Amino acid sequence: MPHTASRYLAESPRVGIRHFTYEDAAEFTTRARESKDLHQPWLFPPASGEAYTAYARRLIQDPSKAGFLVCEVDGGDIAGFININNIVEGGFQCGALGYGAFAHAAGRGLMREGMNLVVGHAFGPMRLHRLEINVQPTNLPSIALARSCGFRLEGFSPDMIYIDGAWRDHERWAITAEMRTSG
């Protein structure tokens, strides 16, 4: 039987990661609307086709960003997304992660598998050295994901990011390539 290349950049038993495409708009926005109660007040992913196109364009075209869809290997449904923002090269080799699960996939461990794939891709082909996550202290599922993937708590920043009409406090979590290989 001939080998066919995977459509994913990396794959685990249940999920694969791939880049955003403009063709993902309908499924992504439907999932975002279905997941509003899960995401808010922390996260506001695009819920309309027009908003998705602008969002995807930034992830596709801006070299300081890399967007990944976490898809179920069985059927290809989008389970969530993980973006690496503010990518800085040179002596820093760092990026900041933002992510969200969709309601139908929440609590199933799919995002943990996806996060591990994205971290491996970032420290491998992307040649980054450090990844950071900034998360609001009340977003316990997001903190649990960071912790379960080996990120360490590095600090607290009051009034760090403007979200939903106010400056919000954030915990800062990080992982380095060395932590990943020694852990």
Side-chain angles (χ1 to χ4, degrees), residues 75-160:
D77 292 346
I78 300 172
F81 56 96
I82 302 170
N83 301 329
I84 306 176
N85 300 297
N86 306 323
I87 297 171
V88 179
E89 296 179 340
F92 202 43
Q93 294 300 114
C94 183
L97 295 177
Y99 50 87
F102 289 129
H104 76 283
R108 295 173 43 205
L110 301 175
M111 288 300 290
R112 183 176 52 253
E113 286 183 38
M115 179 69 78
N116 282 320
L117 293 174
V118 168
V119 170
H121 187 76
F123 290 157
M126 293 180 70
R127 302 178 56 127
L128 295 179
H129 173 258
R130 177 183 174 86
L131 294 170
E132 300 176 352
I133 296 172
N134 297 299
V135 60
Q136 292 179 57
T138 56
N139 189 344
L140 300 180
S142 200
I143 290 170
L145 178 60
R147 184 178 286 121
S148 74
C149 291
F151 287 74
R152 68 178 170 219
L153 178 62
E154 292 191 334
F156 178 82
S157 295
D159 300 332
M160 182 180 187

Side-chain angles (χ1 to χ4, degrees), residues 19 54 142 155 167:
H19 289 295
S142 200
W167 290 99

Side-chain angles (χ1 to χ4, degrees), residues 21-30 32-33 45-57:
T21 69
Y22 296 113
E23 292 75 26
D24 294 310
E27 182 182 1
F28 189 97
T29 57
T30 297
R33 288 189 302 273
S48 73
E50 187 174 293
Y52 175 85
T53 298
Y55 179 76
R57 182 180 301 116

Side-chain angles (χ1 to χ4, degrees), residues 63-76:
S64 72
K65 301 179 184 312
F68 302 93
L69 294 173
V70 177
C71 301
E72 295 183 66
V73 173
D74 238 4

Side-chain angles (χ1 to χ4, degrees), residues 10 34 46 54 79 96 98 109 146 153 162:
E34 292 169 353
L153 178 62
Y162 194 78

